[in-house]
Amino acid sequence: QKLLSATAAAVVDGTWRNRWRCLLAVDDLVEALVGTVEEVGALDETYFFYTSDHGFHLGQLNMLFGKRHPYDFDTRIPLVVRGPGIEAGTTLSQLVTNVDFAPTFADLAGLPSRGDWDGSSLTPLLFSHGKAVAWRVSVPIEYHFWANHTKCTGCPAPDIGYPVRDAACADLSSTPNALCWGGPEQCDPADCYSVEADGRNNFLALRRISAARDVLYAKYQTGHQFVDDVDFSRPDAFELFDLAADPWCERNVYENTDAALLKALDVELDAWYACAG
């Protein structure tokens, strides 16, 4: 992958700033919602959850922008919770995922949990008040390549405003969504960057945070899931990052790691992959 150009870096910086500007409207929405709940007298019986569906990288590791990788900047999301019985200002470090929300909401509503739910209720954590709670120390991350994907930044198109406006189209009835971020058809191919190509971005990853280690382990298998099953039984690349020492995932230490630890991580990851219910 070629280094990002000055034009690409400027687009990344502008996109980063614009995403923060968008959050001003989200702040207004949250304030209005909390105010409405307070006006109707339901604040003492309402729980607010503020979160997202995925992270997003902007220039990290020389990647333009996207969300299709196992690294923390693509997978970590905010989770802010407010409600009766939750201690204000508390920060928790346990690993939780979106699959935990359904059992949490049911638990808060006094409803029974379903046996086929993958997640766990967060209420033991939310109401722990500093007490130790037995909880998972790892979560799986899985992604399958879908199609070749290229994003471009050298797009002199004043009529549509890209890249100042971050997107090259606003009318999805006339332009496919896939082209709205400056595809090669609209831009200078010399300033285009492959996000994923040729079936090389199938991965199965383990994010583990415990007292002993803070690591990201991933294995990759080339293939097209819609052509032939990619089951990660024949991986052709591995990554292991020590996030405590290398939070930006710049040094892959897989080749220099004890074989017993690699085996233990792989067994744990495969157990997650085989798990259901």
Side-chain angles (χ1 to χ4, degrees):
Q1 176 82 309
K2 59 189 175 183
L3 292 176
L4 298 181
S5 68
T7 299
V11 171
V12 167
D13 288 345
T15 302
W16 184 85
R17 294 187 183 100
N18 285 344
R19 290 169 73 86
W20 277 100
R21 292 178 180 123
C22 288
L23 282 175
L24 294 174
V26 177
D27 287 346
D28 293 340
L29 183 151
V30 172
E31 181 182 26
L33 177 61
V34 174
T36 299
V37 172
E38 186 173 21
E39 287 176 7
V40 300
L43 198 59
D44 290 337
E45 56 183 13
T46 301
Y47 289 91
F48 299 89
F49 283 73
Y50 179 96
T51 189
S52 181
D53 56 344
H54 56 74
F56 201 79
H57 64 260
L58 287 165
Q60 291 94 330
L61 302 181
N62 194 53
M63 298 184 295
L64 189 59
F65 42 73
K67 57 185 179 182
R68 296 172 172 85
H69 298 281
Y71 315 116
D72 276 12
F73 36 77
D74 278 18
T75 59
R76 293 192 69 166
I77 58 176
L79 175 57
V80 182
V81 185
R82 169 182 173 174
I86 299 176
E87 186 176 353
T90 301
T91 300
L92 301 175
S93 60
Q94 285 89 345
L95 285 166
V96 303
T97 76
N98 288 355
V99 298
D100 296 320
F101 294 153
T104 300
F105 298 156
D107 201 4
L108 291 172
L111 300 175
S113 177
R114 284 176 37 176
D116 58 349
W117 279 339
D118 288 329
S120 300
S121 172
L122 301 178
T123 55
L125 299 177
L126 296 176
F127 304 124
S128 63
H129 300 293
K131 297 179 181 179
V133 175
W135 195 256
R136 69 174 75 97
V137 295
S138 66
V139 293
I141 308 167
E142 180 182 353
Y143 177 79
H144 289 268
F145 167 83
W146 172 244
N148 292 341
H149 189 193
T150 300
K151 285 187 169 71
C152 307
T153 60
C155 308
D159 55 321
I160 57 178
Y162 183 85
V164 175
R165 207 176 59 196
D166 292 346
C169 59
D171 184 1
L172 296 182
S173 66
S174 60
T175 306
N177 180 63
L179 300 182
C180 285
W181 288 272
E185 299 84 356
Q186 300 164 295
C187 310
D188 179 4
D191 212 14
C192 293
Y193 303 86
S194 174
V195 176
E196 57 180 1
D198 303 327
R200 296 194 301 270
N201 197 37
N202 304 286
F203 63 79
L204 193 61
L206 181 77
R207 187 66 175 94
R208 197 176 208 285
I209 302 178
S210 66
R213 56 183 54 91
D214 181 355
V215 298
L216 170 66
Y217 168 66
K219 54 184 176 181
Y220 298 78
Q221 181 175 318
T222 302
H224 297 259
Q225 181 68 14
F226 49 88
V227 175
D228 190 21
D229 185 36
V230 177
D231 61 3
F232 302 100
S233 61
R234 301 179 305 279
D236 42 38
F238 298 88
E239 289 181 327
L240 178 64
F241 297 99
D242 178 358
L243 278 293
D246 179 25
W248 294 102
C249 295
E250 296 178 301
R251 298 182 297 277
N252 181 5
V253 297
Y254 180 85
E255 295 293 341
N256 301 318
T257 299
D258 180 74
L261 174 57
L262 295 178
K263 178 65 175 178
L265 292 172
D266 197 63
V267 168
E268 184 176 2
L269 177 56
D270 285 346
W272 272 114
Y273 184 57
C275 180

